[in-house]
Amino acid sequence: MNLSDSELIVLEELWKGDCLDENGEITALELSKILNEKYNFSKSSSYTFINRLVEKNALSRRYPNYKIKPVIKREDLGNNQIQKIIDTVYKGSFVKLFSAFVNNKKITNTELEEMKDIISSIEIKDE
């Protein structure tokens, strides 16, 4: 799923959750007000981004009151984007992605230990 920076801003506000009601929803009008206050998005821009996210199945919309709700979770979007990068940039090799990541960043001892813990907890798949 390809998302623009503005669409990601909309999702980020929803993922925070503090603007959502007890059903995990918010009206498009309420969200557009928040986006205007925080990011200076016009009402029409907000609705454009919301509608694009509905079309991409990242948000659900229901009537009355044009209530919207995030459908995609941050983790799922992140996993999809990572897999796309692995497939396209690193030709399907997670090892090449991992190598590029760790070789281009200074890693603290704490981060290294955390990564070792993660690696040691991975279940090995049959090839």
Side-chain angles (χ1 to χ4, degrees):
M1 176 182 307
N2 291 328
L3 300 176
S4 70
D5 291 344
S6 297
E7 291 166 343
L8 284 170
I9 288 171
V10 173
L11 282 173
E12 183 61 40
E13 282 302 315
L14 296 171
W15 287 332
K16 288 178 191 173
D18 55 351
C19 64
L20 302 177
D21 66 15
E22 63 278 355
N23 297 317
E25 299 175 315
I26 186 173
T27 65
L29 180 60
E30 290 173 49
L31 182 57
S32 72
K33 289 177 183 177
I34 291 169
L35 295 171
N36 178 265
E37 289 172 14
K38 289 187 173 183
Y39 305 100
N40 204 29
F41 286 7
S42 69
K43 182 179 177 182
S44 63
S45 293
S46 295
Y47 275 74
T48 297
F49 301 135
I50 291 167
N51 286 328
R52 286 182 190 165
L53 288 166
V54 169
E55 290 170 7
K56 294 176 180 182
N57 295 316
L59 298 179
S60 66
R61 169 181 55 204
R62 73 176 181 87
Y63 296 98
N65 301 328
Y66 198 161
K67 290 253 187 174
I68 57 174
K69 180 180 196 171
V71 174
I72 192 165
K73 295 177 183 172
R74 178 194 316 269
E75 297 79 19
D76 294 336
L77 179 61
N79 289 338
N80 290 340
Q81 298 295 1
I82 290 167
Q83 189 60 52
K84 185 176 178 180
I85 291 169
I86 291 170
D87 292 342
T88 58
V89 177
Y90 297 101
K91 306 297 184 219
S93 173
F94 174 77
V95 174
K96 288 180 182 174
L97 168 75
F98 184 76
S99 177
F101 177 74
V102 297
N103 288 325
N104 290 315
K105 182 183 184 293
K106 293 198 183 269
I107 299 171
T108 66
N109 285 332
T110 303
E111 290 172 322
L112 182 59
E113 290 304 316
E114 287 177 21
M115 289 192 305
K116 285 179 182 178
D117 290 343
I118 292 168
I119 290 170
S120 67
S121 71
I122 294 173
E123 291 183 29
I124 298 174
K125 298 179 185 177
D126 292 332
E127 294 185 31

